[in-house]
Amino acid sequence: MDQKFTVIFRLEKNGRGGKTVTVLDGLPRNEDYLKTLAKELKAKCGVGGSHSMGEKFGLVEIQGDKRDAIKKILQVKGIPFKGM
């Protein structure tokens, strides 16, 4: 990936039946990249999740509040992030 991007973290609870979801926004709109990243994060966190394409950015959703685990994974991969 040549494109420079910064992942934006947020927690969402609304419209999800009271369940918390960790959302990673601001990712490149690249289906293969999103699929691979989502798969790796789900496996390492031991939870479910999904990926999707937004208007401008790709999106990965991981079930539960997994911010700490995801931040460690992103640091190892050298992906910058901000938020929470």
Side-chain angles (χ1 to χ4, degrees):
M1 283 270 148
D2 310 340
Q3 187 182 0
K4 296 280 179 246
F5 60 92
T6 302
V7 175
I8 298 150
F9 271 94
R10 64 177 188 269
L11 280 183
E12 288 185 1
K13 225 177 184 175
N14 297 351
R16 300 182 188 275
K19 291 187 170 34
T20 305
V21 176
T22 307
V23 180
L24 284 73
D25 201 351
L27 292 161
R29 283 179 49 95
N30 178 324
E31 181 71 29
D32 292 336
Y33 180 76
L34 290 175
K35 192 174 185 176
T36 306
L37 182 64
K39 186 175 181 179
E40 181 181 348
L41 293 175
K42 289 189 297 187
K44 289 186 175 172
C45 294
V47 294
S50 67
H51 67 279
S52 61
M53 300 277 211
E55 290 277 315
K56 297 179 181 168
F57 300 109
L59 205 62
V60 172
E61 297 178 354
I62 301 296
Q63 292 173 355
D65 183 355
K66 299 292 180 185
R67 290 174 295 186
D68 295 337
I70 294 171
K71 283 179 185 178
K72 287 183 183 128
I73 296 165
L74 293 181
Q75 280 173 336
V76 170
K77 290 168 104 22
I79 299 173
F81 55 84
K82 64 183 180 185
M84 307 210 250

